[in-house]
Amino acid sequence: MANVLEETWEEIKTQSPPAMDSTNMGILILLLNIFLPGIGSIVTGVSKSKTSTIIVGVLQLLTSWIIVGWIWSIWWGILIYQKSSESWTAVPSPA
């Protein structure tokens, strides 16, 4: 349990959520985090099997009623989208 908490703290401190598999999924996660704070982060954590990201999403959800979690959720959604855009590479079309 302590290892998961350390991993969660490190993920928050370094602001390094996992990337999704495509830019479209990154956009979906961003929209989920805007309109349903924390849900996009939880979905990301479940799809990438990262307990620390699931915990971050739950914390965002629990603190969204005081606006802090909502802002944090939007920021996390932006980071996930950016990482998803960077990790996605287009397949070149045949010439």
Side-chain angles (χ1 to χ4, degrees):
M1 180 69 173
N3 191 26
V4 172
L5 294 178
E6 288 173 14
E7 183 181 335
T8 303
W9 175 246
E10 192 63 30
E11 187 173 314
I12 292 168
K13 192 171 69 171
T14 60
Q15 296 188 14
S16 60
M20 293 303 286
D21 298 330
S22 70
T23 302
N24 291 338
M25 283 301 294
I27 291 170
L28 177 64
I29 295 302
L30 173 58
L31 291 174
L32 280 172
N33 272 353
I34 290 170
F35 296 108
L36 300 167
I39 300 300
S41 299
I42 293 169
V43 169
T44 301
V46 169
S47 70
K48 296 296 179 179
S49 300
K50 279 199 72 156
T51 307
S52 59
T53 307
I54 296 170
I55 292 171
V56 167
V58 170
L59 291 172
Q60 291 168 347
L61 185 65
L62 292 175
T63 58
S64 65
W65 64 278
I66 56 173
I67 308 300
V68 173
W70 183 58
I71 294 169
W72 181 18
S73 181
I74 292 171
W75 176 245
W76 217 247
I78 291 169
L79 292 175
I80 292 170
Y81 168 70
Q82 287 176 341
K83 287 184 95 173
S84 300
S85 297
E86 292 168 1
S87 68
W88 185 80
T89 55
V91 176
S93 59

